[in-house]
Amino acid sequence: KSELVVYQAGVDCWEGDILGGLSLSAAGLLRRDKLVYDECLRRGIPVCETLGGGYSRDIKETARLHSRTLKVFAGLRKEIS
């Protein structure tokens, strides 16, 4: 059994990112984060989430995407916009 998951939650795979741009929508990023969190919780494995990437010309959108990831891992899903 794993003792810890270290999850590098970059948003450079977002479709609007100028460097990564791997075509994940904002909704897709959110689903990814929820999947990782839920699986770690289900398996009883602690998870350390780190932010990374995010090179959009719209810095506010990059910050919003990062904040949604933080909210998922803080258990604040109802507050995600």
Side-chain angles (χ1 to χ4, degrees):
K1 180 180 175 184
S2 299
E3 294 180 22
L4 176 69
V5 169
V6 179
Y7 174 52
Q8 166 56 2
V11 297
D12 48 350
C13 53
W14 174 58
E15 62 193 355
D17 190 276
I18 59 176
L19 292 181
L22 297 175
S23 300
L24 280 180
S25 65
L29 287 172
L30 185 58
R31 281 193 303 272
R32 175 201 69 178
D33 293 341
K34 288 178 178 179
L35 175 77
V36 171
Y37 178 79
D38 289 345
E39 274 304 301
C40 290
L41 191 64
R42 184 181 73 78
R43 296 171 187 236
I45 304 170
V47 60
C48 170
E49 177 268 323
T50 64
L51 301 177
Y55 310 99
S56 171
R57 287 186 174 89
D58 183 351
I59 191 79
K60 289 182 181 180
E61 182 61 14
T62 299
R64 187 181 78 82
L65 294 171
H66 280 307
S67 72
R68 291 181 347 155
T69 297
L70 292 170
K71 288 175 182 176
V72 167
F73 284 83
L76 302 173
R77 289 186 188 200
K78 291 181 182 180
E79 298 178 28
I80 295 173
S81 57

